[in-house]
Amino acid sequence: MNQEIREIVIGAATVALLIGGLVGMNARHQIASVGTDEGLIIYAKFNKVDGLVEGTEVRLGGIRIGHVSAMSLDDQFSAVVAFNIEKSVPLPTDTSAAIHTDGLFGAKFVVLEPGAEEAFLRSGGELNFTQDAVVVSDLLDLIISEGHVARRQGAKPSQ
């Protein structure tokens, strides 16, 4: 009987630790987004935003400078993404945005590359240069099909 009670206690402690970890991660995410609500709102249009969610980091030079605050579709079915950017970071009007993945199967994030214009974006401005998210399964399909083509070309009899 003591063995069963010990196993139940260990199982309950494990479940409690897992729940505590999940609550802690959620609280960390909410705390990290506090204080950035007074930034600039910048918009960008993408064809694909697979894996991007509200709260996703926006980075410049590898440093977090904001987050994705909203996403919607426009009348031409393009994804319109709103970024909340720190006011202390001046972005030239020709800044570009790209959706990157942290590792092969990691989380998505947005990378901003400042341009060379002397004028800066204001709140409500739009980024005109964007690069869509790369879908890993599409990339793997492309690599596999290229391999099949190369194998077929290598198997052709020479004349």
Side-chain angles (χ1 to χ4, degrees):
M1 189 74 170
N2 283 339
Q3 182 70 17
E4 289 178 13
I5 292 173
R6 185 187 313 166
E7 289 175 0
I8 290 172
V9 169
I10 290 173
T14 302
V15 169
L17 284 172
L18 287 173
I19 291 172
L22 291 173
V23 168
M25 287 189 319
N26 186 37
R28 188 183 126 240
H29 174 70
Q30 290 177 352
I31 290 170
S33 64
V34 172
T36 57
D37 291 336
E38 295 184 14
L40 302 173
I41 302 295
I42 306 295
Y43 297 94
K45 290 184 182 180
F46 295 91
N47 293 320
K48 282 186 180 182
V49 293
D50 295 8
L52 208 63
V53 295
E54 290 182 20
T56 297
E57 286 187 1
V58 176
R59 300 178 187 175
L60 179 68
I63 298 173
R64 181 186 172 162
I65 61 163
H67 65 276
V68 173
S69 58
M71 294 188 297
S72 62
L73 288 175
D74 66 3
D75 55 351
Q76 296 170 343
F77 305 108
S78 293
V80 178
V81 180
F83 307 122
N84 192 326
I85 306 295
E86 294 176 12
K87 284 186 178 181
S88 62
V89 180
L91 295 173
T93 55
D94 60 343
T95 297
S96 66
I99 301 172
H100 288 219
T101 304
D102 205 9
L104 186 59
F105 296 107
K108 302 282 186 177
F109 59 94
V110 178
V111 173
L112 298 181
E113 288 291 331
E117 287 288 328
E118 293 183 14
F120 295 110
L121 286 167
R122 295 184 180 175
S123 193
E126 184 175 336
L127 301 176
N128 296 318
F129 307 107
T130 60
Q131 181 181 355
D132 299 337
V134 174
V135 181
V136 174
S137 62
D138 292 347
L139 188 60
L140 291 174
D141 288 342
L142 177 66
I143 292 169
I144 291 169
S145 66
E146 290 291 325
H148 288 306
V149 168
R151 187 184 322 166
R152 277 189 230 124
Q153 288 177 349
K156 288 183 182 179
S158 56
Q159 297 176 355

